[in-house]
């Protein structure tokens, strides 16, 4: 079933909870389609009077901030063995090349890597755990985490909501285009990161 159609069948409270939970789990380090869920819910809020976009944005922001903070704590406690374990469990997302690319970004940009990583589909799952593994000072991580979470989650909700209001009649017939656009953006950003990760993949000894 279409994500938006499914969200339309559940109460508003459940929509808030699903959005906050999925984004929180994604931010914690579990590969989930947080951006797709958020875009679909925001678009639905522009057509459904029972879903408040302010509450939706707040739940999405809270999920992003809390999830990243839990991921940071897990990364700080688990250290590099955690990254190795994640690499075995999710090789497509936590390969050595991906981790090397993300680690270079953190070393070069610090807090800004956490902030801007929120806007890149694949990097969202790295920010919290990797910041903990690299032992970034928590106050720096928290500032970047809160600002990034609010700007990304709140901004995405606001943009999609107002687009839906302005073009409501059009979107009722072609609402799937908003989802398709989100998927295209997500896939494009993932391909860019994968290309960088492939270049960063360590060359085995003897080659």
């Amino acid at each position: 079933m279409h994500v938006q159609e499914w969200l339309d069948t559940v109460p508003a409270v459940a929509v808030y909870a699903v959005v906050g939970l999925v984004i929180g789990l994604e931010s914690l380090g579990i590969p989930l389609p947080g951006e797709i869920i958020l875009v679909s819910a925001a678009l639905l809020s522009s057509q459904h009077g029972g879903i408040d976009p302010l509450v939706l944005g707040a739940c999405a922001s809270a999920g992003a901030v809390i999830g990243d903070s839990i991921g940071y704590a897990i990364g700080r406690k688990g250290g590099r063995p955690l990254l190795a374990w994640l690499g075995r469990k999710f090789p497509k997302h936590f390969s050595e090349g991906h981790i090397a690319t993300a680690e270079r970004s953190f070393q070069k940009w610090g807090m800004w890597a956490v902030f801007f990583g929120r806007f890149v589909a694949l990097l969202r799952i790295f920010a919290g755990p990797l910041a903990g593994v690299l032992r970034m000072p928590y106050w720096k991580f928290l500032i970047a985490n809160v600002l990034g979470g609010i700007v990304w989650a709140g901004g995405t909700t606001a943009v999609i909501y107002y687009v839906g209001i302005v073009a409501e009649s059009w979107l009722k017939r072609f609402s799937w285009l908003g989802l398709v656009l989100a998927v295209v953006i997500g896939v494009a950003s993932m391909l860019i990161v994968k290309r960088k990760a492939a270049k960063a993949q360590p060359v085995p000894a003897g080659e």
Side-chain angles (χ1 to χ4, degrees):
M1 184 183 293
H2 192 291
V3 174
Q4 188 178 340
E5 291 175 350
W6 179 80
L7 290 173
D8 199 19
T9 64
V10 300
V13 174
V15 174
Y16 302 144
V18 167
V19 169
L21 180 62
V22 171
I23 290 177
L25 291 174
E26 181 190 39
S27 301
L28 188 153
I30 300 175
L32 290 174
E35 190 169 46
I36 293 176
I37 292 292
L38 178 57
V39 168
S40 299
L43 186 58
L44 181 62
S45 71
S46 70
Q47 307 164 8
H48 195 306
I51 300 177
D52 189 328
L54 293 178
V55 177
L56 179 64
C59 290
S61 299
V65 172
I66 294 172
D68 250 11
S69 294
I70 295 175
Y72 175 92
I74 293 174
R76 192 173 180 89
K77 184 175 181 179
R80 291 193 176 277
L82 173 65
L83 296 181
W85 179 83
L86 289 172
R88 293 192 297 270
K89 291 293 183 179
F90 305 104
K92 291 184 178 180
H93 297 86
F94 288 91
S95 68
E96 291 183 14
H98 288 164
I99 293 174
T101 298
E103 188 169 353
R104 282 201 305 272
S105 298
F106 271 70
Q107 292 172 344
K108 183 176 182 179
W109 302 106
M111 293 174 61
W112 291 110
V114 176
F115 179 86
F116 287 112
R118 173 62 60 185
F119 298 86
V120 180
L122 189 60
L123 293 182
R124 275 197 296 275
I125 65 175
F126 280 106
L130 190 57
V133 170
L134 298 178
R135 297 192 174 276
M136 176 183 288
Y138 183 68
W139 68 269
K140 289 185 176 182
F141 170 79
L142 183 61
I143 292 173
N145 178 27
V146 171
L147 292 178
I150 291 175
V151 172
W152 173 74
T156 299
T157 301
V159 169
I160 298 300
Y161 173 78
Y162 284 113
V163 166
I165 291 295
V166 172
E168 182 176 3
S169 61
W170 184 81
L171 286 171
K172 280 183 178 179
R173 295 176 58 194
F174 302 103
S175 59
W176 55 272
L177 288 177
L179 181 61
V180 171
L181 180 60
V183 172
V184 169
I185 294 174
V187 171
S189 61
M190 186 178 297
L191 290 175
I192 292 173
V193 172
K194 284 186 175 181
R195 179 175 296 180
K196 292 183 178 179
K199 292 180 179 179
Q201 192 76 32
V203 178
E207 293 190 7

